[in-house]
Structures are given as structure tokens and as C-alpha cells.
Amino acid sequence: MAAADFVVDVCRNNPQILIFLALAMGYALGKIRYRGFGLGTTVWVLFVALALGQIGINVPYLLKTVAFALFSFCIGYKVGPQFFAALRREGSGYIWLTLVIDLTCLLAAIGLGTLLQLDPGTTAGLFAGSDTQSASLGTAEGAVAQLPVSDAQRSTLDTNLAVAYAITYIFGTAGGILFFKIAPALLRINLRDEARKLEERMSGGLARAEKPGLFSWTKELEIRAFRVSRVNLAGKTAGEVETLFPGRVAIDKIRRGGQAIEPTIDTPIESGDTLVIHGSPKWAILGTELIGPEVDITTIPEVVGEVLEVCVLNREAVGKTLAELGTRKEAHGIFLAKITRQGHELPMTGDTIVHKCDVMQIVGLEEDVERAAKLLGYPERPTAVTDLVMMGLGIVLGTLLGLVVVHVGRTPVTLGVGGGVLISGLIFGWLRSVHPTFGQISSGAQWFLQDFGLNLFIACVGLMIGPKAVQAFQTTGVSVIVAGVVLCLLPLFVGMAFGKVVLKMNPVLLLGALSGARSLTAAINTIQEDADSKVPVLGYAAPYAL
């Protein structure tokens, strides 16, 4: 007994022990998946923190505030460029769909809270958990802090807020994935067939296996050398020889006698030249038939290649399709390995439109890659550098914005620290896209600050309310669970009907948009797997940013 008391005293005097224990256990349990489904790290961190918090410890309020500020700023910084671009570019469809879903969720939460006589804290937690919006939890805490109630009442509201969030988040995630499993049947479509049709339409009517190399996308490249022996090739240009291949290849070097030539598409080919080409193996291997005998590549001067990720920022590239970019002279010899938007890989079809801040991974000769990077935007070379001056200033300005309170009648209205810092992050993220040499936060730092900041905040919340959580669950648990099921599914059904009947959206893009509006990353992954296509991501990105 004395040993147990000693451990409890140590934990109470050193709360960082339980904070990091909750994080470690939460991250470990978050890796558990059953048939592709998992609750994720955040829910497990909260559950573990609630359990550990039963001993009763005091966590510094400042730590919780700083953690949520880091998370809010980084999530805003990440989606800022696409948020403002979506408002200008995506048209009214995605905007209206997102507004309908969010408004339905908000009104339903208020209605259920009134019907079940739930207090404001429980209602806010119901909204945040059912909608799987962890950011809403912190924002609601800031709103509770502004209510004209006693400290005891405020503490009760905070407890109910976190408990309702924890209870409803489980079905918010599982129910969301279940909805997207049955949604194709409700829409009376075969998701895989619809995705294939859309992909073929975006590829100019060609089946997936017949896609031309409009931007030469491939994940495998080979470099081979062939000696020109075909009589009909003498006098042709390098560009004309490249077009003899059924897929796209590039002639990188020409060895003529003892001289190495850097060719252009207009360089004439002579009999006996050795051509160094690179491209997909299934095309490059045809060189023996189209050019002549293969030459040992080791006898050719070294060819330096490069793999580079480029953030698309330039006006010459933004808004263009991959097919249009592929016709540019700067794209000669360039192979697109993948293109991502907000971390999700996009389908590489001719009609895929490139948006601002999409990241394109390009492969080719070093000089070709550097030339293409200038066309596309800003090369994101591996770096560990983070502009802490910008981040610190952004959080300061966001905090000051969040402290502003406007009274509507006798009701205080405020963004709260979380909301203010989120807006600041949106603005600084957008500024970074306009001036890419300013305000860099490396991808690794973004992930750490966003993920760790959120889960550190959640751990603090769970530990602080732990002793009161059981009582709160016993008081409102069953009614909150039922309300959570309704609040999870109702906005999705309303959004699906609105998108199909009013907006007449393509069903594949509609499902992607619904998952984006709900910020359900697990759902978009499920949709892509069921569709056997990355096309649904095209509908996901804009609603997610909004």
C-alpha cells in the first residue's frame, strides 16, 4: 500500500510522467487495426488519459493551451493555400455541399441537445465527436471559458465536453466508414465501374492500361543505350526517333565517335550514333527493334538523374491539365512518379487538373528536372529547417485575435485561442504559397507539431477531467450515444441527397467530397480501395480545406 501511495505521489508531483505515458500508450494502441479499421491515436490517447487521470492530478493549463495552439496553427498552415484557392476556383458546388453538411450537423446538435436537455458542454462534445472534429473540442473549450458561469460550473461543462467527445468519436469514425461502405448501394451504382468510367473520360476515352504517357508517368525507369543501324533513322531528328516508340521515352545523350552530345529534339541522328534513352522498361526494351543493337551502358559517360518533389505555384502550371503540361518543351524527358494533394495521391490522367500547392514528384536527368521545376514552382528539397520566427509570430497574432470578444446582446461571441490561431495559420500558409522562400515549416516538423500538438492537448484534457469522467458518463452516457449515432449519419445522408439531386455531382466525386467535408481520412482511403482508383481524391481536397 505504501508503494502504491508513493507512485501516486510521484505522479501527482510530476504530471509529465502520466502525460507522456498516455501519449506512448495511445500511440501504441492507435496502431491496432482490425480488418482495416482502427480508432486512431487521438481516441486512444484520450481513453488512456481518462483512465490514468482517475488518481487526480493537476496539469498546467498553459501546457494544454500551447499544445492546441501548435496544432491549430499547423493545420491552418497546411490547408491555407488550398482553402483560399478553393474559395476562388472550385465553384459553388463543393462550397455549398460543405456548408449544407456543416449546417446540418450544427443544427442537429443544437436540436438534439435541446430535446435531450443536454448542457452546453455535452452538446459541444456531441458535435465534435460525432463529426470527428478534434479541433472543435479545443474551440469549444475556449467558448466555455467565456461563459458567465461559476468556476465549478465551468469545470463540469469541460468534463462533459470531453466525455461526450470520447463517447461519440468512436461511432463518428466507425459509422462514417460504414456509411461509405453502403453509400454506393444507396446511390445504385457500382463504384468501381463508375470510377473506371470517370478515369477513362479523364484519359481521353482510353482504358487504364492504354493511357498514353502524356506526362510520362511511371514508377519504374530504365536507362539503355542503342547503336543506330536502321537505315531509315539517318537524317531524322531526336524528337522524331522518340515518337517511334509507342510510349514516351527521351534521348538523353548521343555519342558520336569520341564526342558526347547533349541533344535537343531538333538534333539530327546519324548512322552509327549511340543513343542513350530512358523511359519505362516496356518501352525502352523496344530500342533493339526501332534503333539497333543494344550497347553496354557502362561504356557510356555517366548520366546523372534526379528525383525531386516540386510544389506547384507558377501561374503557367496552375489550372493546367497533365496533358497540357506534357506538351510543354520543359517537360521533355520528365517522368511523373506521383502527384499529391494534401498528402493524398491523385489519379494521373490526362485531364487531371493541377491545383496550386499540389506536389509533383518528377524524375529525369538532373538538367531536365531542374528545368521542369522552374516551370512548375518551388522545389521542395529535403530540409530540416523551420522558420520559428514566422510560426511564433503567427501564434502570437492568432492568440490576440482569439482574445477579441464581441457581445451579441448578453451573449459573448469569440473565436477563442484555437480559432484565432487557426485563422492565423491559414493566412501564413497562404503567404508561404505566394512567397515560397518565406515561412518554411518542413514536412517532418508539420507532422510532428500537428499530430503531437493535438494529442498532447487531448492527453491534458483527459488527465484533468479523469476523476469526473465516470460520473458524467453514468449521467448522460446512453442518451449521448444515441444522439451521436444520429448526428454522425444524418449530415451524410442529407449531403448525399443534396449533392445528387441539387448539385448533380458525379457519384465518385460526391463520395470523395462527403468524406472531405467530414474530414474522414480513413473514409477516403476506404473509398479509394473500393473504387480501385484515386479519382475520389479529386472531390475530397476542396471540402477538406473548407
Side-chain angles (χ1 to χ4, degrees):
M1 193 68 177
D5 291 339
F6 173 76
V7 171
V8 170
D9 288 339
V10 168
C11 291
R12 284 175 175 168
N13 294 327
N14 300 274
Q16 67 270 22
I17 294 175
L18 294 186
I19 290 174
F20 283 102
L21 181 58
L23 289 170
M25 294 179 66
Y27 273 96
L29 292 169
K31 296 178 181 179
I32 297 175
R33 304 184 70 83
Y34 178 72
R35 295 185 177 181
F37 171 74
L39 291 177
T41 301
T42 301
V43 175
W44 280 115
V45 168
L46 180 56
F47 283 156
V48 173
L50 287 171
L52 295 176
Q54 297 304 311
I55 67 173
I57 66 169
N58 292 318
V59 178
Y61 183 82
L62 177 62
L63 178 62
K64 182 176 68 170
T65 304
V66 169
F68 191 68
L70 290 173
F71 162 73
S72 298
F73 185 82
C74 284
I75 195 70
Y77 179 92
K78 176 182 176 181
V79 304
Q82 278 136 347
F83 173 81
F84 290 106
L87 293 178
R88 297 191 305 268
R89 179 190 62 230
E90 296 295 341
S92 60
Y94 289 129
I95 296 174
W96 278 111
L97 180 67
T98 305
L99 287 175
V100 165
I101 291 174
D102 289 345
L103 189 60
T104 301
C105 192
L106 177 62
L107 294 177
I110 295 173
L112 288 168
T114 302
L115 178 66
L116 299 175
Q117 298 182 338
L118 303 177
D119 62 72
T122 303
T123 302
L126 170 67
F127 172 84
S130 300
D131 204 34
T132 62
Q133 291 286 355
S134 300
S136 299
L137 181 64
T139 304
E141 269 208 338
V144 168
Q146 297 295 327
L147 293 177
V149 296
S150 65
D151 290 342
Q153 290 174 310
R154 186 173 293 110
S155 177
T156 299
L157 291 177
D158 284 337
T159 299
N160 294 344
L161 169 65
V163 171
Y165 168 83
I167 294 172
T168 55
Y169 192 101
I170 298 174
F171 189 83
T173 301
I177 294 174
L178 177 63
F179 170 85
F180 287 104
K181 283 288 187 181
I182 65 173
L186 297 175
L187 291 170
R188 297 180 180 179
I189 62 168
N190 183 302
L191 183 59
R192 187 164 298 194
D193 289 346
E194 291 294 330
R196 187 182 66 253
K197 291 176 185 176
L198 180 57
E199 196 167 338
E200 288 176 5
R201 189 160 67 247
M202 295 178 66
S203 299
L206 297 178
R208 184 177 302 184
E210 300 172 326
K211 290 180 194 172
L214 294 169
F215 205 107
S216 278
W217 40 84
T218 179
K219 295 184 182 297
E220 296 182 9
L221 293 175
E222 274 191 357
I223 298 179
R224 291 173 176 258
F226 302 92
R227 181 175 294 111
V228 177
S229 63
R230 301 288 183 266
V231 177
N232 64 324
L233 295 185
K236 288 184 179 292
T237 65
E240 289 172 333
V241 173
E242 290 173 353
T243 60
L244 297 176
F245 289 81
R248 187 169 175 176
V249 301
I251 298 177
D252 297 323
K253 290 186 182 297
I254 301 175
R255 190 173 68 177
R256 183 171 296 162
Q259 182 183 11
I261 300 174
E262 300 287 344
T264 68
I265 58 174
D266 298 320
T267 301
I269 302 299
E270 297 181 5
S271 181
D273 285 351
T274 298
L275 309 183
V276 179
I277 69 171
H278 77 278
S280 173
K282 64 180 178 180
W283 307 134
I285 199 172
L286 299 177
T288 53
E289 301 174 17
L290 301 174
I291 299 174
E294 187 166 3
V295 177
D296 184 1
I297 192 66
T298 60
T299 64
I300 307 299
E302 183 179 0
V303 178
V304 179
E306 183 177 16
V307 179
L308 183 65
E309 291 192 345
V310 183
C311 180
V312 179
L313 297 174
N314 292 346
R315 293 181 179 178
E316 294 85 351
V318 174
K320 300 293 192 299
T321 65
L322 291 180
E324 291 171 330
L325 291 177
T327 62
R328 296 287 297 261
K329 63 180 181 179
E330 295 92 343
H332 178 260
I334 294 301
F335 293 79
L336 180 62
K338 65 178 179 179
I339 176 172
T340 59
R341 184 173 299 158
Q342 295 177 359
H344 295 279
E345 197 167 337
L346 299 180
M348 294 188 290
T349 67
D351 282 346
T352 295
I353 298 175
V354 178
H355 290 178
K356 191 171 187 177
C357 288
D358 285 353
V359 177
M360 303 176 72
Q361 187 182 78
I362 56 178
V363 185
L365 289 185
E366 185 177 20
E367 55 266 31
D368 291 339
V369 168
E370 294 297 330
R371 181 187 65 241
K374 292 179 181 178
L375 164 69
L376 297 173
Y378 186 76
E380 302 213 336
R381 306 183 193 278
T383 179
V385 176
T386 291
D387 189 344
L388 293 175
V389 174
M390 179 276 299
M391 188 173 71
L393 181 61
I395 293 176
V396 168
L397 294 176
T399 300
L400 294 175
L401 177 63
L403 293 176
V404 175
V405 180
V406 177
H407 288 271
V408 180
R410 292 188 298 176
T411 304
V413 179
T414 177
L415 290 171
V417 173
V421 173
L422 176 64
I423 291 176
S424 176
L426 289 170
I427 294 172
F428 277 88
W430 172 76
L431 288 174
R432 158 77 175 162
S433 71
V434 176
H435 303 286
T437 57
F438 154 84
Q440 182 177 26
I441 302 180
S442 66
S443 57
Q446 283 188 53
W447 175 85
F448 176 78
L449 293 172
Q450 179 182 323
D451 200 70
F452 181 76
L454 172 62
N455 289 303
L456 177 58
F457 166 77
I458 293 295
C460 292
V461 170
L463 290 170
M464 291 173 70
I465 69 166
K468 304 175 184 177
V470 175
Q471 180 182 356
F473 177 77
Q474 292 173 340
T475 303
T476 60
V478 176
S479 59
V480 168
I481 291 173
V482 174
V485 172
V486 174
L487 195 54
C488 168
L489 297 177
L490 179 61
L492 290 172
F493 279 107
V494 171
M496 184 170 67
F498 182 78
K500 180 181 179 181
V501 177
V502 179
L503 300 178
K504 302 187 184 305
M505 294 178 65
N506 178 282
V508 179
L509 299 181
L510 173 58
L511 294 180
L514 290 173
S515 64
R518 279 286 312 275
S519 301
L520 273 174
T521 302
I524 189 60
N525 293 336
T526 298
I527 296 168
Q528 289 183 88
E529 291 173 2
D530 292 345
D532 190 27
S533 171
K534 300 185 186 303
V535 169
V537 176
L538 296 175
Y540 172 88
Y544 178 85
L546 292 169

